[in-house]
Amino acid sequence: MSNDKKNPAAGNAPSSNFVRAIVDNDLAAGTHKRDGMPEVITRFPPEPNGYLHIGHAKSICLNFGLARDYDGRCHLRFDDTNPEKEDQEYVDTIMDSVKWLGFSWEQGGTEYLHYASDYFGKLYEMAEYLIRTGKAYVDSQSAEEMSKNRGNFGTPGTNSRFRDRPVEESLQIFRDMKAGKYKDGEHVLRAKMSEDAMASPIMTNRDPALYRIRHAHHHRTGDDWCIYPMYDYTHPVSDALEDITHSLCTLEFQDHRPFYDWLVETLADGGFFQRPVPRQYEFARLNLTYVVTSKRKLRQLVDDGVVTGWDDPRMPTIVGLRRRGYTPESIQLFCDRIGVSKADGWIDMGTLEGALRDDLDPKAPRAIAVLRPLKLIVDNFPEGEAHACSSPVHPHHPEWGNRSFPFTRELWIEQEDFMETPAKGYFRFTPPVDGQPGSRVRLKYGYVVECTGYDKDADGKVTAVYVNYFPDSKSGTPGADNYKVKGNITWVSAATALEAEVRLYDRLFLEPQPDAGGKDFKAALNPNALETVTAYLEPGMKDAVADQRFQFERHGYFVADRVDSQPGKPVFNRVTTLKDSWGK
């Protein structure tokens, strides 16, 4: 199966994805063939302790995309084993984000929605089995002792003095831990993968912790438990209980794979799972320039008031990208283009913005907006009259029809469309000089006009430009061809234009890797990441509804803000510019 056989977001050429080669080989070999079960079952296992970001989108697209393309299924599983940091709010937003991206954990009328906390009873039962078979023990060292005896990458660890604690003693203490008889940190349950595990060159093999004591309220199980399983223990067990075939993790979990394999094989030997057991594969996480994706740092941006919230359109969170105006299709296209590899690297933000432009260009209706308005007065146009002008809703979709807007005596144009002393190659409005007439410019979809003068205020700022129009030059009429002009600018009628708040968003950071090398990422914040202007839009834009996207001609792609837009009074966010001019 090619990489893009069933992927509607795929580009012209399949992207590099080593995981698909693994799946193809497994299918050919029948590695995960089981009666009545798909041969590809993946999972997306977020911890509900924050909002998902663009890096999680890569994992979502990979796991759900594989299940879709290979007629399998993907589970959504919440790794809710850390009660002090988790909340139902995060559960809700994660579910909403996955659905918004275009994926579902439902198949054949069954919802494959799971929580690690669903397995707390089974996890405990398996932990007792590991103790009884001599593969786990209760360690009563202090945290300081445990850290010291763990060693480091160049020094083997030292066995805990409790490592050979009798099985019945460990079992009783573990049960007393569950019963709430000990304080946080008094004991830890640790695995014993082998007799010389503490000498392993892989640090995560050195008697990894399985359970710790936490007297904390859990958002689902309440106060039923005061011991909670560690992620490295919970994750492989959950995979096996759910019959996951391909457990896909980012590269930082590569050293954890030996424990993953040992645990599922050991528990399969104990009759807890049927074979074949899941297999873990690691891929490079998404490193995107001009953003930070650390949950801690994103939370700091929110808590410090640098941004307005998790859904601030400058944030790389999925809720932020959604509010900014990104589409699910553009994010899927981006993830397909960058592929999946085992090599760490950086993806330029321009790749994400390019995917967005490619997605929006064929489907975003066109509109005219004047973002930095300057009054244009057509002296020889009759006061109170209006001539109807029109243009296509989309230049490549004639079936979408035309939009209409009036040409009146007073118009709005962009401030940059007039220059008192023109630079070389400037073809917009310039005033008469030394008896020579002012420049002629076509008002797009309207008439050719000639500049006759301008007004300035006491500070020297241009406040109005004056022109005369040529009645036989209207676009779309035979006379239009009689006028050859180089300038062609956008405009809206001052009498009918919609006044609207427009937020011009840009990248949040000025440096490609704002937090590299442990530097203060906030020092790289872009002070111009948001500019709010009062703009004038063609009158039909008053009917724009939340989340509706447009191309504002010459300016870029914009969306009606999903939070602040009101009926008849939309607020617009710039999603991206028409071209990538960042740093150029």
Side-chain angles (χ1 to χ4, degrees):
M1 180 180 295
S2 69
N3 289 2
D4 60 347
K5 181 174 181 181
K6 295 185 180 181
N7 187 352
N12 293 329
S15 57
S16 172
N17 188 331
F18 78 94
V19 177
R20 290 180 181 271
I22 291 172
V23 173
D24 287 337
N25 290 336
D26 285 347
L27 290 175
T31 303
H32 295 284
K33 206 169 186 65
R34 294 164 292 185
D35 289 343
M37 300 283 286
E39 291 185 70
V40 176
I41 303 177
T42 58
R43 83 291 169 270
F44 174 60
E47 182 181 358
N49 65 347
Y51 284 70
L52 300 183
H53 54 65
I54 185 64
H56 295 110
K58 176 180 177 179
S59 181
I60 292 169
C61 290
L62 173 59
N63 281 288
F64 282 93
L66 282 172
R68 172 197 63 205
D69 295 349
Y70 288 94
D71 297 319
R73 68 174 186 245
C74 183
H75 299 188
L76 175 61
R77 181 204 310 142
F78 289 99
D79 172 42
D80 56 345
T81 59
N82 194 0
E84 294 162 313
K85 294 184 178 181
E86 297 159 3
D87 194 89
Q88 186 63 37
E89 172 192 356
Y90 301 130
V91 171
D92 294 341
T93 186
I94 289 169
M95 293 173 69
D96 185 59
S97 292
V98 173
K99 288 179 181 178
W100 177 76
L101 280 171
F103 298 106
S104 174
W105 49 88
E106 182 180 327
Q107 186 187 65
T110 299
E111 271 202 342
Y112 293 96
L113 174 64
H114 302 283
Y115 296 81
S117 54
D118 292 340
Y119 310 130
F120 280 175
K122 293 179 180 178
L123 286 159
Y124 178 83
E125 179 186 351
M126 294 177 202
E128 283 209 355
Y129 167 80
L130 293 174
I131 296 172
R132 289 196 303 272
T133 54
K135 294 180 173 63
Y137 66 96
V138 172
D139 192 354
S140 304
Q141 295 181 101
S142 67
E144 292 76 16
E145 284 181 290
M146 202 174 299
S147 177
K148 178 182 177 181
N149 290 334
R150 192 163 179 254
N152 54 47
F153 289 106
T155 307
T158 302
N159 285 351
S160 166
R161 64 183 185 277
F162 299 101
R163 197 172 195 264
D164 295 323
R165 173 174 258 159
V167 166
E168 289 304 320
E169 184 180 337
S170 277
L171 197 58
Q172 186 58 53
I173 295 173
F174 187 54
R175 290 171 178 171
D176 289 342
M177 288 165 59
K178 177 179 180 291
K181 295 183 179 181
Y182 298 106
K183 298 176 182 178
D184 290 6
E186 277 196 75
H187 303 287
V188 173
L189 182 67
R190 299 177 72 179
K192 191 191 297 185
M193 295 173 64
S194 65
E195 287 306 313
D196 59 350
M198 290 301 291
S200 172
I202 301 176
M203 295 288 291
T204 52
N205 286 358
R206 297 180 182 178
D207 290 7
L210 304 180
Y211 268 89
R212 79 283 201 199
I213 302 171
R214 284 287 185 277
H215 290 273
H217 184 83
H218 190 279
H219 71 101
R220 293 188 75 239
T221 61
D223 298 317
D224 291 349
W225 294 86
C226 60
I227 57 171
Y228 289 95
M230 305 297 290
Y231 176 83
D232 278 357
Y233 174 60
T234 307
H235 180 65
V237 170
S238 300
D239 282 350
L241 289 171
E242 294 175 23
D243 297 308
I244 301 302
T245 58
H246 300 82
S247 181
L248 308 177
C249 306
T250 46
L251 283 176
E252 62 263 36
F253 292 100
Q254 184 168 294
D255 283 350
H256 300 239
R257 188 177 356 125
F259 176 65
Y260 183 106
D261 292 342
W262 174 85
L263 184 62
V264 293
E265 291 289 353
T266 298
L267 293 174
D269 289 343
F272 291 99
F273 317 129
Q274 290 187 334
R275 289 185 168 87
V277 292
R279 288 288 177 254
Q280 176 179 302
Y281 303 95
E282 304 86 21
F283 62 93
R285 68 186 305 162
L286 174 62
N287 296 309
L288 188 65
T289 59
Y290 297 100
V291 302
V292 296
T293 53
S294 158
K295 285 182 182 178
R296 178 182 61 81
K297 292 173 183 176
L298 293 175
R299 185 182 299 278
Q300 187 177 344
L301 292 174
V302 174
D303 292 344
D304 292 352
V306 174
V307 295
T308 58
W310 290 98
D311 68 342
D312 187 296
R314 293 165 290 182
M315 290 279 273
T317 53
I318 293 178
V319 290
L321 292 169
R322 181 180 182 181
R323 188 173 176 188
R324 175 77 169 257
Y326 276 78
T327 61
E329 295 82 3
S330 67
I331 296 175
Q332 287 192 46
L333 178 58
F334 166 71
C335 291
D336 181 76
R337 285 179 174 176
I338 64 175
V340 181
S341 75
K342 278 188 160 298
D344 268 326
W346 286 86
I347 303 298
D348 190 84
M349 172 63 88
T351 306
L352 176 59
E353 294 167 341
L356 177 64
R357 293 186 191 98
D358 289 346
D359 180 58
L360 289 180
D361 180 63
K363 63 188 186 186
R366 288 359 185 203
I368 293 176
V370 175
L371 303 183
R372 294 176 174 83
L374 173 63
K375 184 66 69 71
L376 184 77
I377 300 172
V378 188
D379 280 327
N380 64 335
F381 192 85
E383 189 86 46
E385 285 195 18
H387 291 181
C389 297
S390 67
S391 63
V393 172
H394 194 290
H396 304 305
H397 291 287
E399 72 278 10
W400 291 7
N402 292 328
R403 59 193 208 270
S404 181
F405 39 86
F407 183 91
T408 56
R409 189 171 189 271
E410 293 192 1
L411 310 172
W412 293 113
I413 62 171
E414 295 287 349
Q415 293 173 13
E416 65 181 21
D417 290 340
F418 175 80
M419 191 172 285
E420 191 175 358
T421 304
K424 185 177 179 180
Y426 185 79
F427 299 118
R428 284 166 274 180
F429 286 119
T430 59
V433 178
D434 298 332
Q436 297 297 314
S439 62
R440 290 186 179 184
V441 174
R442 175 168 293 282
L443 298 175
K444 196 172 184 180
Y445 311 122
Y447 296 93
V448 172
V449 296
E450 182 177 278
C451 185
T452 58
Y454 60 98
D455 289 336
K456 294 169 72 172
D457 62 18
D459 296 324
K461 180 182 178 181
V462 176
T463 56
V465 175
Y466 296 88
V467 299
N468 285 328
Y469 88 112
F470 299 93
D472 61 343
S473 67
K474 187 178 182 184
S475 296
T477 66
D481 294 337
N482 297 329
Y483 295 84
K484 305 299 180 184
V485 295
K486 293 183 177 179
N488 191 355
I489 69 169
T490 52
W491 55 275
V492 293
S493 164
T496 64
L498 172 69
E499 183 179 302
E501 178 181 327
V502 176
R503 298 161 180 171
L504 303 176
Y505 288 103
D506 205 341
R507 298 180 185 180
L508 187 56
F509 294 96
L510 294 171
E511 295 183 20
Q513 299 174 29
D515 57 351
K519 59 188 175 185
D520 179 11
F521 71 103
K522 290 177 68 176
L525 283 167
N526 179 7
N528 300 314
L530 170 60
E531 179 187 3
T532 301
V533 299
T534 298
Y536 292 96
L537 285 59
E538 62 181 74
M541 293 301 292
K542 72 179 185 302
D543 298 322
V545 297
D547 286 331
Q548 190 174 5
R549 299 166 184 86
F550 300 87
Q551 184 194 104
F552 288 178
E553 297 187 30
R554 81 186 265 186
H555 293 302
Y557 295 97
F558 291 74
V559 65
D561 187 83
R562 64 193 323 264
V563 175
D564 295 329
S565 293
Q566 302 295 325
K569 192 178 180 181
V571 173
F572 290 93
N573 302 330
R574 181 171 66 190
V575 193
T576 189
T577 53
L578 288 176
K579 294 181 180 180
D580 181 9
S581 58
W582 182 261
K584 297 177 183 177

